[in-house]
Amino acid sequence: MAGEAADQKEKVCVTGAGGFTASWVVNLLLSRDYVVHGTVRQPGDIKYAHLNKLEKASVNLKLFKADLLDYDSLRLAIEGCSGVFHVASPVPNSLNDSDPEEFLEPAIKGTLNVLKACKKAKVKRVVVVSSIAAVVMNPEWPKDQVKDETCWSVPEYIKTTKKWYYLSKTEAEREALEFGKRNGLEVVTVCPSIILGPILQSTLNSSSSLIVATIIGGLESLGCNYWTFVDVRDLADALLLAYNKPEAAGERYLCNSHSIGIRDVVEKYLRPTYPDYKYPKNLTYAEEEVQHLSSEKLQKLGWTFRPVEETLNDSIESYRKAGIVG
């Protein structure tokens, strides 16, 4: 009987299911009674144990061994699904000086493999997680004008900066939207800013390390002193909205909730609650770090977001629980 009930529920696939963002997407989908196919590198690996502990996972979650560069493995995971959330993407340890192919091939070819598998499986909609990396590297954009969905990073300019992650996200997103138009596949892209919030997994992901670096001490200043960020739980909500709203078909959405300097992060929100951490001494940011981003289009779909302090406090408490910070 349980099998019959599962067959009647909507089935969706989440790529890179064990990652920071994707874990929260899986969690949200399970809570809304979707059956979820999650792609991971090695289903039995202990680093995916947190997924099996999610509510309803024992009934509604199935993990598939898949690789973005292996079309057949993706096809098997996506088969029978009415929708796909493509979250998996290579994430840098640093944003430059890396081998460009480390990012470009998995991001671009991997995205195209997912989309080809979606077309084959006749899924109704694909939501692709892009990044503001595909938005902000545009030297031609007027300096004081708010960046919205019409702003794209310029590949030729990115190449001069050697920020290959930015290039990979820009090229992959463009390819995704164009593939959708050419093939009659509903593709929606969502471009989040830095993704913060509590972790479900036991290890620290690269964006969360920004908060950890702010509180552990030993740093005069951070590499990023002006934060544009979104809570991972709010991003998961945005992705589900992009999946379910008919008017989102073929659209692009920026997803940013807060833009804030490091001084305010520390003095307004962190130090009053956590006075004993060793914060950076340099709490200023350079003018060129400032980004003005609009999520108005996403808010018109019905998206809302949490306050700053909730994201920061919940993040730190989750790192404490995981033993990452004291």
Side-chain angles (χ1 to χ4, degrees):
M1 291 294 287
E4 285 177 28
D7 286 343
Q8 291 164 9
K9 295 173 183 174
E10 185 170 0
K11 198 175 288 180
V12 294
C13 179
V14 178
T15 66
F20 172 48
T21 298
S23 294
W24 279 104
V25 175
V26 170
N27 184 61
L28 177 62
L29 291 167
L30 290 173
S31 76
R32 301 288 176 87
D33 229 22
Y34 288 85
V35 171
V36 180
H37 287 189
T39 74
V40 294
R41 289 184 181 274
Q42 200 64 50
D45 196 308
I46 193 152
K47 69 179 175 183
Y48 305 125
H50 66 283
L51 293 174
N52 296 315
K53 293 174 187 169
L54 298 176
E55 192 179 348
K56 300 183 185 175
S58 60
V59 180
N60 289 344
L61 175 64
K62 184 176 180 183
L63 298 182
F64 288 76
K65 179 180 169 68
D67 187 300
L68 289 179
L69 298 179
D70 180 353
Y71 166 79
D72 287 326
S73 69
L74 293 167
R75 184 179 55 77
L76 288 171
I78 291 169
E79 212 168 70
C81 292
S82 57
V84 172
F85 296 82
H86 179 38
V87 189
S89 186
V91 177
N93 291 320
S94 65
L95 292 181
N96 51 12
D97 297 328
S98 300
D99 176 5
E101 289 309 312
E102 181 188 340
F103 300 116
L104 296 176
E105 189 180 26
I108 300 166
K109 187 180 175 184
T111 296
L112 288 174
N113 278 342
V114 169
L115 294 172
K116 287 171 187 171
C118 290
K119 184 187 172 191
K120 172 85 173 166
K122 296 183 168 58
V123 307
K124 71 176 186 184
R125 182 170 291 185
V126 190
V127 180
V128 176
V129 179
S130 183
S131 167
I132 61 160
V135 177
V136 298
M137 297 282 285
N138 186 335
E140 291 135 33
W141 192 264
K143 187 164 176 21
D144 295 325
Q145 188 174 322
V146 174
K147 292 183 172 82
D148 59 18
E149 289 76 10
T150 62
C151 185
W152 281 87
S153 292
V154 179
E156 293 71 27
Y157 175 66
I158 301 173
K159 286 171 188 172
T160 67
T161 68
K162 296 187 176 180
K163 290 188 174 180
W164 305 120
Y165 173 71
Y166 287 70
L167 184 61
S168 74
K169 298 305 282 189
T170 305
E171 300 280 23
E173 187 187 355
R174 278 205 182 276
E175 290 274 4
L177 290 169
E178 285 167 16
F179 184 97
K181 286 176 194 164
R182 283 196 315 269
N183 293 278
L185 178 67
E186 286 189 11
V187 175
V188 187
T189 62
V190 177
C191 302
S193 50
I194 297 167
I195 306 164
L196 301 177
I199 56 173
L200 288 172
Q201 77 281 14
S202 58
T203 55
L204 195 66
N205 57 293
S206 59
S207 60
S208 297
S209 62
L210 190 60
I211 298 178
V212 173
T214 307
I215 64 176
I216 59 171
L219 292 172
E220 285 300 309
S221 64
L222 296 165
C224 178
N225 279 357
Y226 187 85
W227 297 7
T228 50
F229 74 86
V230 61
D231 190 295
V232 66
R233 297 163 292 184
D234 297 331
L235 173 57
D237 289 341
L239 298 175
L240 191 53
L241 273 174
Y243 178 66
N244 280 321
K245 291 283 188 175
E247 63 268 36
E251 295 292 336
R252 181 189 203 213
Y253 293 93
L254 261 63
C255 186
N256 176 64
S257 50
H258 303 289
S259 301
I260 183 169
I262 186 66
R263 182 177 298 280
D264 283 344
V265 170
V266 171
E267 303 300 352
K268 269 193 188 177
Y269 301 110
L270 293 182
R271 205 189 298 273
T273 310
Y274 303 100
D276 298 328
Y277 284 128
K278 293 179 168 56
Y279 298 101
K281 292 186 174 67
N282 180 7
L283 297 177
T284 59
Y285 55 83
E287 192 55 39
E288 58 266 22
E289 287 184 73
V290 176
Q291 294 289 350
H292 303 290
L293 304 168
S294 170
S295 293
E296 187 179 339
K297 184 177 174 182
L298 188 56
Q299 287 172 283
K300 284 178 180 172
L301 275 190
W303 184 64
T304 58
F305 50 83
R306 288 164 171 76
V308 174
E309 56 268 37
E310 187 176 336
T311 298
L312 296 175
N313 292 348
D314 287 357
S315 298
I316 292 173
E317 290 308 318
S318 79
Y319 308 153
R320 285 177 151 187
K321 188 177 174 184
I324 292 165
V325 298

